[in-house]
Amino acid sequence: MKLLSRGAAVGAALIILAAVWAAWPAAGVPILSYHKVGDTEEAYSVAPADFERQMAYLADKGYTAITMADLFGRLTAGKPLPARPVVITFDDGYADNYYTALPIMAKYGMRATVFVVTDFLGERPYLTWDEVKALRAAGTEIGSHSLAHRALPELPADERLRDVAASKEGLEWRLDAPVRFFAYPFGRYDAASEEALQAVGYRAAVSTRLGLNNPGDDLYALKRINIPRSRWGLLEFRLRLLRANVYEKLGL
Ligand SMILES: [Zn+2]
């Protein structure tokens, strides 16, 4: 009996230690990956009320939203970042990023990077060029999510190069600003995709691999934390952040 209770005490202590270890922040910057913020039931559409809870949680925990450019400066030149940095990204360029997500983010002092598919712009449910410009004027960083959302590894080499170059040039011409960051359609990439991005002047790219980002990591395969539609509320969001933390610590 005595032995059992000692065993139980040791077990409880181990569980507490493991929980502290898992929750203790790992080095590395998290990049959150969103798509839509809206009331449709799609798996990649986060309900506005949930999105607001997530932004409030980040603000409450002292996170500061930084841009891909800020993260790039940190990873390549060791530039300082706020104490708890986070990059908030949106893929595909949905109009709700402007109409729904932006006002919620503004309320909590957050900002985002929106990766747009240039050929999709101007046709609902995607952003128009004017809305992309308005997003940018409101402090949102704009990146490329390719020309037509095709998986880069499946394109012939010349077509792949044309795709990533045309998307970059189109954005730069319309926005009159450099576009340096890319998000892989379907998260699909290979060595040839990374080389194509580098060849046309992108400085870094985000993938869908889970984890946090540190100096020395492959700049063309940065890791993200996918945030799909919530099923169990804020706990699920917190567990997703925690899981990335654990992955990082275990070097997965
Ligand atoms: Zn996409």
Side-chain angles (χ1 to χ4, degrees), residues 35 91-92 145 149 185-186:
H35 288 80
D91 282 9
D92 299 344
H145 193 36
H149 211 282
F186 311 104

